[in-house]
Amino acid sequence: MKHVFAVGLVIFPLLFIGCQSKKFRVTGTTEGIKNNDTLFVSTDMIEGTPSDTLIVKDGGFIYEGETDSTRLCMIYCKNRPDINIPFFIEPGNINIHMKADVGKSRVSGTLINDEWQLLTDTVNMYGKQINNIVTQAFDNGSSSEQQDAAMVEIKKLEKQLNKSIIRTAERNIQNELGYFIINYYDDEVISNEERLMLIKKLPEVMRNRPRIKQMESVLLERSNMKLPDFSMQDLEGNSVSVLSEISKHKITIIDFWATWCAPCMQEMPKLKDTFTRLKDKGLGIIGISLDTNAKAWRNTITKLQLDWTHLSELNGWENSAVKMFNINAIPFTLVVDNNGKVLQAGLRGEELSEFVQQRLDE
């Protein structure tokens, strides 16, 4: 049976190799768990397959041994898998307090675990603020203007959280938590440029790990990536060369969207505002729709007055450009220069607008 283990971060197994075997000791206290209940230790962050077993005695437990690596793992209750805590096994004395309230368990005692707890607290804090805004703005019959204002506030909070995560990585770039953050968070949190910057700051021994070397190679290739030319039909059924269209503008946003995609439609007012403000400075937009209904596609463009180039194959996720760029979620954007060089990928909202503004002002 699968269990979901959550304290604000969804995590995956990583093993960080050290130089020599050293002792660790985990001292734990428990709430909501009975004496003689079984606790499982696991490095399998998806299925929770146990690698060790502990028994609760007098409201607590001791887990000790030697490790020649820093390992991300978790302890959870056999009968209450919702009571769990992820932490890093590393040499030293580690203190754990397991609580019945989800997200309230805590770890401390070693450098990485202290920083890990701080990161978890930060993610939970911002998550709670965002959830409160969502509840107030979208569950209480708020007006569209109030919902738009809420989305702006959510984007600001997400941006603040992303910056905090990157600062945590920079602060821990010499240890395994920095390495974990570089590997875990996607490009909606850490941009390609920021990830390359972090990789360059890693100690040589970490930077030479196969996982990082492969990542750096892909990112460097992506940073020099140029769009291949491809064509697609516009609203009138004419075949349009994407590179030819891009060459008409200093900067072009390629926006992958669909009328049935609620987040895409929420992004449209901001995208339209960005286009209106910056089109005379050299901004172009190419909308590539994943719609299958031609009428819905055309009517939405007309209704919202989206006055830029629109292309589609009207075949949903089978769209050739979607497959070409391995896109698995929308909205998704590519920002390219007039030669088709990819400058940024995955930006949305205010971040997209700011990035394009900066490039046009150069």
Side-chain angles (χ1 to χ4, degrees):
M1 178 176 64
K2 289 186 178 181
H3 301 300
V4 176
F5 303 91
V7 291
L9 293 173
V10 180
I11 42 188
F12 57 90
L14 286 174
L15 179 64
F16 309 112
I17 305 301
C19 297
Q20 58 186 8
S21 177
K22 294 182 180 179
K23 293 182 179 180
F24 69 87
R25 178 182 175 90
V26 180
T27 303
T29 61
T30 62
E31 290 181 18
I33 302 175
K34 299 177 183 179
N35 283 329
N36 297 316
D37 272 0
T38 299
L39 302 178
F40 288 141
V41 182
S42 178
T43 56
D44 178 0
M45 310 306 289
I46 306 301
E47 300 286 346
T49 305
S51 57
D52 217 333
T53 301
L54 308 172
I55 302 297
V56 176
K57 294 182 179 180
D58 299 323
F61 61 90
I62 300 292
Y63 178 51
E64 56 188 347
E66 293 189 354
T67 181
D68 56 2
S69 62
T70 298
R71 291 173 293 162
L72 182 64
C73 69
M74 64 181 163
I75 293 177
Y76 67 95
C77 180
K78 175 184 178 181
N79 298 323
R80 287 283 308 276
D82 57 304
I83 304 179
N84 66 82
I85 183 163
F87 68 103
F88 286 85
I89 287 182
E90 61 175 332
N93 294 315
I94 301 168
N95 303 308
I96 283 179
H97 302 284
M98 297 182 68
K99 297 187 177 183
D101 293 336
V102 175
K104 297 296 184 180
S105 296
R106 303 190 66 80
V107 61
S108 63
T110 59
L111 173 62
I112 292 179
N113 281 302
D114 286 345
E115 288 282 339
W116 170 249
Q117 186 62 58
L118 182 60
L119 176 61
T120 302
D121 290 343
T122 301
V123 171
N124 286 340
M125 179 189 71
Y126 279 101
K128 185 178 294 184
Q129 292 181 47
I130 290 171
N131 287 339
N132 287 340
I133 293 172
V134 169
T135 299
Q136 293 173 11
F138 297 95
D139 295 347
N140 296 321
S142 301
S143 67
S144 59
E145 291 77 11
Q146 289 172 319
Q147 292 180 358
D148 288 343
M151 287 303 300
V152 170
E153 187 61 29
I154 288 171
K155 293 296 183 184
K156 288 181 180 178
L157 290 172
E158 288 178 342
K159 191 171 183 178
Q160 291 171 14
L161 173 58
N162 294 348
K163 287 182 178 179
S164 180
I165 290 169
I166 293 170
R167 284 197 299 269
T168 301
E170 290 176 325
R171 196 167 59 245
N172 291 276
I173 204 65
Q174 297 295 316
N175 65 48
E176 303 294 354
L177 181 56
Y179 177 78
F180 169 84
I181 292 172
I182 290 172
N183 278 278
Y184 172 68
Y185 285 99
D186 63 22
D187 55 13
E188 288 193 3
V189 177
I190 305 175
S191 70
N192 294 342
E193 290 81 0
E194 290 165 333
R195 202 180 306 275
L196 279 170
M197 176 270 294
L198 290 171
I199 288 173
K200 289 176 181 178
K201 292 181 178 180
L202 283 170
E204 185 176 355
V205 65
M206 291 186 188
R207 194 172 176 184
N208 284 329
R209 290 173 180 173
R211 190 186 189 107
I212 291 294
K213 291 179 74 173
Q214 181 183 14
M215 181 185 296
E216 186 173 17
S217 175
V218 169
L219 289 173
L220 288 171
E221 181 179 348
R222 190 180 298 173
S223 67
N224 294 313
M225 177 183 173
K226 183 177 178 180
L227 289 182
D229 195 16
F230 61 96
S231 298
M232 206 171 291
Q233 289 188 345
D234 65 11
L235 290 165
E236 286 73 41
N238 301 314
S239 181
V240 175
S241 160
V242 170
L243 281 187
S244 177
E245 188 65 26
I246 285 170
S247 69
K248 301 175 184 178
H249 310 282
K250 183 177 180 180
I251 297 292
T252 299
I253 298 170
I254 302 178
D255 177 41
F256 292 85
W257 71 292
T259 60
W260 45 258
C261 167
C264 300
M265 302 311 295
Q266 289 172 357
E267 292 289 329
M268 281 304 172
K270 183 62 182 177
L271 189 61
K272 184 177 177 180
D273 176 71
T274 299
F275 181 68
T276 300
R277 287 188 301 104
L278 301 177
K279 63 181 179 179
D280 291 338
K281 291 188 174 183
L283 174 63
I285 298 180
I286 299 175
I288 296 182
S289 171
L290 276 64
D291 279 287
T292 56
N293 186 318
K295 184 177 180 180
W297 175 46
R298 292 190 175 93
N299 287 349
T300 299
I301 292 167
T302 301
K303 180 181 178 180
L304 298 181
Q305 298 181 334
L306 307 178
D307 299 325
W308 51 79
T309 301
H310 291 277
L311 307 176
S312 183
E313 294 173 342
L314 296 173
N315 59 353
W317 289 101
E318 295 303 310
N319 182 282
S320 58
V322 167
K323 291 186 173 183
M324 183 188 306
F325 299 113
N326 196 29
I327 296 168
N328 53 30
I330 55 173
F332 181 82
T333 62
L334 293 171
V335 181
V336 300
D337 66 14
N338 59 358
N339 293 311
K341 181 180 178 181
V342 178
L343 305 176
Q344 189 56 274
L347 295 182
R348 292 163 59 179
E350 193 63 35
E351 285 186 322
L352 175 61
S353 181
E354 289 178 0
F355 180 80
V356 170
Q357 175 82 62
Q358 291 170 1
R359 288 290 181 164
L360 289 172
D361 289 341
E362 290 178 351

